[in-house]
Structure formats: structure tokens, C-alpha cells
Amino acid sequence: MRRFVYLKEEDIPKYWYNVKADLPFDLDPPIDPQNMKPMDPQKLEVLFPKALVMQEGTKERYIEIPQKVREAYALYRPTPLVRAIGFEKALKSPARIYYKNESVSPTGSHKLNTALAQAYYNLVEGTTKISTETGAGQWGSALAFAGAYFNLDVNVFMVKISFEQKPARKYMVNLFNGKIHPSPSDFTNYGKKILEIKPDSTGSLGMAISEAIEFALSKEKTHYSLGSVLDHVLLHQTVIGQETQKQLELVGEEPDVLIGCFGGGSNFGGFTLPFIPLKMKKKSLEIVACEPTECPSFTKGEYKYDYGDTAHLTPMLKMYTLGSEFVPPPIYAGGLRYHGASPIISRLVKENYMKAIAIPQDEAFEYAKLFAITEGIIPAPETSHAIAGVARYAKEFAKSGEEKVIVFNFSGHGLLDLNSYVGK
Ligand SMILES: *Cc1c(COP(=O)(O)O)cnc(C)c1O
């Protein structure tokens, strides 16, 4: 039985795939809160390089990946697709389970796929500094690495509760010459304001985004960078799904269920969007986002226009949201604690191309531990939600005896999150 499905360096995709070219509808545009009209793309150029603003709005099917970015991808891509034989056995399931292993990147998650692209476009357009927020620290450390690789100065605002729970991520950002501030911080006016009202605030992604945007707007040659949610971020992540398609072809498999964990939608979207044309032909294909019960944007949220941050500096996006004021409980999966959801994925869930299920933290850890023992790889707390989702499906198929193919995205490893496993 074949366990690993490897590709060669020349199989690294040459294009990012833009699902908007294949959808039978247009997405609702971002709205400018100042006049409640569709956002003028030029206004976004104070925050993002022109190339990314263009990618945000385009309906071109394929966007060429710059050679320098492909070279950087070759540090860790193509990533392996792996058959989870041990996990299948432990679940006593006839299902064949495969995972796309994005944890082999230098910073341990899929986040580098867009960090490298964003750093590159900033560099070529003359930016010298970038600011960003980070929840669990995965995004902050990925952008710090990309900044070091392309020689940009990176400033990271990290949600305070995670800053305290996950000091290793801070060391990693510093190793890559990045600067990191616990948010809310006294580094920005917005952070100071929050600390005045609530000195013991544990922070939220919404607050950290507000601080990072304020920082970018107040400095010369400085841009802001977002690690999830936006269309261009999902676009960059489509290297995951495109490689997976090639790997499944090599072993003669077609997926019945695609699963990913869901925070803002970047790993889930990057993994599943290239399969949307297949979904249009094969209605039985299930595409399932696993969100935490503790931050249930899809299963308890509303589909409406909302702000991406707490200070309301961002455009309004049409998405499933718990409200921009929502501060989730301090669960370990810091990367899944966002109040909103990618507008592309939101619409696809609304139109029933995909669906979402909620997984409680304890269930996620139970199956993450089983996966670690049977597959020899320790999942990030975020990834654990996908694994528990896989287990739910695999056990269903065990009851019905169906030999289905489940493929999931292993978004990151948990080697820097071991403290969250204590006592599990
Ligand atoms: C950031 C992160 C997530 C959640 O973010 P998405 O944009 O929803 O992918 C999931 N898994 C890992 C390992 C992460 O670092």
C-alpha cells in the first residue's frame, strides 16, 4: 500500500486558480463605510500593493505565480499527500483517508504560501515595512520569515492571550528579525484606548487588525498584510488544492469528502476551491469546513455586511459573522478565533456548494491525540478540528460500510503548541 504521494519540483503550480472565473454568479463587493458604496479599489492601495488589489478584484481564471515566489515555494513545495493508514485502522473505517501535509513548511503551516507572495509584491512596489496581526502566531511567524527572505521589516501585533500562551511563536518572529507586540498594546492610539477602558483585555483578532492597520497608515512606505479572509489570500493558497488534485490523479482516486478547519478560510479555501469545477459535475462531493463550537461564525453567525476589525477601519464585507465586537473565549486554537469568514467561502456555503460543522475543543483534541499516536505527527490545535471532522465522517462510513475517499488539509503541526496538549 502506498503511503506517500510525492510530486517533483516542476510540479509546483505555475498559476494560482481564481474560482470567480467559474462561478455562475458575482460576489457582493466590499462596501466603503464612508459612503456605503462599493469600495473604490484605489483606496485600498494605501494598505496593499497594487498587484494584490488587482488580484482581489479580478475574474481572470489563472494568475501567473512570479518566478521569485515559485523559487521560494521550492523551499518546501510540493508538499506530500499522505494516506493516513494508521488513523483509518484506529477508526475501523472502510474509508480511505488522505491528508495534504502543509505542516512541512519552514514555519509549520500553510500560511507561508501567501506570506511569500505578499512580501514579494510589497518588495517590488517599494514597501520597506509591513505590519500585521496574528492570532496563534502562525501567521506572524510566516510573515516574519517571508520578510526576512525578501528583506522587509515586519511588525506583528499578536492577540495578548496567545502571546502569553505561546511564547515560542514570539521567539520565532524575533529569530526572523521581526518585531512583535502583544495586542492590545500601548504602541497605537487604538490599543491605548482599549487598555484604558479594559486594562485586563485578552485581545482579539479584530483588535489586533485595527492596531496593525493604524500602524501601517501612520508610517511611510509601510503596508498592511492580512493572513486570511481576503480573496487574494485564498487565491495564493490554491497551490494546495492544485497539487492535491495532481496527487489524487497519480493514485487514481477521486474525493467524496473534502475537509478543512476554518478560521478565516484561507487553508480551507486554498485546499477546496480548485475542486469547485468538480463539485459542479459531481453533486455528491461534500466539501466541509470545521469551525470551533466556541467561535461558530457559520453555524451561529449571520450572513450580512460587517466590518473585519473592531475599530471599523476595514471595508465592510458580505460574510457570515458573529459581529465585529465578538470576543471569543480563549480556546487553544487561536487561529480559529475570528468573528467573520472569507466572503468567497461564505457565499459558497450560502449557495450550498459547501457546508460547515462545529467541533468542540475537547473532541478536536481527542482525535488530534489519536492522529498523533497512529500517524506520528502532532497536529496544530486548529488542524485538530479538521481531524475530528474527518473522524465523524469516517465513523459514519464505518456504520454504512461505504468505501469513500476522504481528503483533508493538514494545515499545520503542533510542535510549538505542545502546552495546549498538557492533560489531554
Ligand atoms: C491560521 C491557521 C488556521 C486558520 O486560518 P485559515 O485562514 O482559516 O486557514 C488553521 N490552521 C493553522 C495551522 C493555522 O496556522
Side-chain angles (χ1 to χ4, degrees), residues 124-146:
V124 295
E125 291 188 26
T127 313
T128 58
K129 276 194 188 57
I130 27 184
S131 66
T132 196
E133 73 294 329
T134 194
Q138 292 269 19
W139 169 241
S141 53
L143 196 67
F145 176 82

Side-chain angles (χ1 to χ4, degrees), residues 31 69 96 120 133 149 216 361 374:
I31 294 287
V69 176
R96 296 191 292 284
Y120 169 78
E133 73 294 329
Y149 184 90
Q361 175 166 273
T374 54

Side-chain angles (χ1 to χ4, degrees), residues 108-111 136-139 169 227-229 233-234 237 261-269 334-336 380-383 409-413:
S109 81
H110 68 286
K111 296 266 179 13
Q138 292 269 19
W139 169 241
R169 285 285 165 193
S228 186
V229 181
V233 180
L234 272 68
Q237 294 293 354
C261 65
F262 196 98
S266 75
N267 91 87
F268 179 74
L336 305 184
E382 291 81 6
T383 312
N409 191 37
F410 192 92
S411 56
H413 69 64

Side-chain angles (χ1 to χ4, degrees), residues 74-348:
L75 290 171
Y76 61 100
R77 306 209 71 84
T79 61
L81 182 75
V82 189
R83 173 107 182 251
I85 299 166
F87 194 56
E88 286 169 12
K89 280 208 185 108
L91 295 170
K92 300 188 178 60
S93 177
R96 296 191 292 284
I97 302 173
Y98 292 86
Y99 62 98
K100 178 67 167 162
N101 189 358
E102 289 297 305
S103 80
V104 300
S105 91
T107 56
S109 81
H110 68 286
K111 296 266 179 13
L112 213 50
N113 298 328
T114 186
L116 289 165
Q118 293 192 41
Y120 169 78
Y121 287 118
N122 271 295
L123 179 76
V124 295
E125 291 188 26
T127 313
T128 58
K129 276 194 188 57
I130 27 184
S131 66
T132 196
E133 73 294 329
T134 194
Q138 292 269 19
W139 169 241
S141 53
L143 196 67
F145 176 82
Y149 184 90
F150 283 116
N151 209 5
L152 292 165
D153 187 27
V154 175
N155 277 270
V156 180
F157 292 86
M158 183 167 183
V159 177
K160 192 181 276 168
I161 180 80
S162 307
F163 189 86
E164 286 159 6
Q165 280 176 349
K166 306 188 177 208
R169 285 285 165 193
K170 173 185 155 195
Y171 307 146
M172 201 158 158
V173 169
N174 290 336
L175 170 81
F176 296 132
N177 298 326
K179 298 181 189 75
I180 188 159
H181 321 281
S183 168
S185 76
D186 53 14
F187 213 74
T188 65
N189 290 330
Y190 183 69
K192 279 186 207 145
K193 205 168 98 193
I194 302 232
L195 288 173
E196 245 165 55
I197 305 165
K198 203 163 181 287
D200 59 348
S201 171
T202 52
S204 70
L205 270 177
M207 289 177 200
I209 294 174
S210 301
E211 285 206 272
I213 292 180
E214 184 187 320
F215 181 91
L217 292 176
S218 65
K219 299 260 186 305
E220 289 287 309
K221 292 192 180 175
T222 304
H223 272 152
Y224 166 68
S225 173
L226 193 62
S228 186
V229 181
L230 296 181
D231 299 1
H232 69 266
V233 180
L234 272 68
L235 178 80
H236 301 154
Q237 294 293 354
T238 59
V239 291
I240 305 173
Q242 293 183 75
E243 286 179 11
T244 305
Q245 286 177 321
K246 225 178 219 177
Q247 288 161 311
L248 287 172
E249 259 167 47
L250 278 176
V251 286
E253 296 277 32
E254 200 178 81
D256 296 298
V257 188
L258 294 172
I259 293 183
C261 65
F262 196 98
S266 75
N267 91 87
F268 179 74
F271 175 57
T272 63
L273 292 178
F275 288 91
I276 288 298
L278 175 66
K279 170 69 187 175
M280 288 171 168
K281 285 186 280 179
K282 180 178 172 173
K283 294 281 177 264
S284 66
L285 173 64
E286 284 198 74
I287 307 182
V288 187
C290 299
E291 65 180 8
T293 305
E294 297 81 3
C295 188
S297 313
F298 285 115
T299 50
K300 293 278 166 63
E302 254 187 276
Y303 186 53
K304 62 172 188 190
Y305 271 106
D306 194 9
Y307 294 95
D309 71 322
T310 317
H312 299 177
L313 301 176
T314 67
M316 298 177 81
L317 302 174
K318 184 85 174 276
M319 60 185 177
Y320 279 93
T321 172
L322 295 161
S324 60
E325 305 298 320
F326 180 79
V327 178
I331 54 167
Y332 283 110
L336 305 184
R337 297 173 73 247
Y338 186 59
H339 67 271
S342 141
I344 297 180
I345 304 298
S346 291
R347 182 70 184 270
L348 289 173

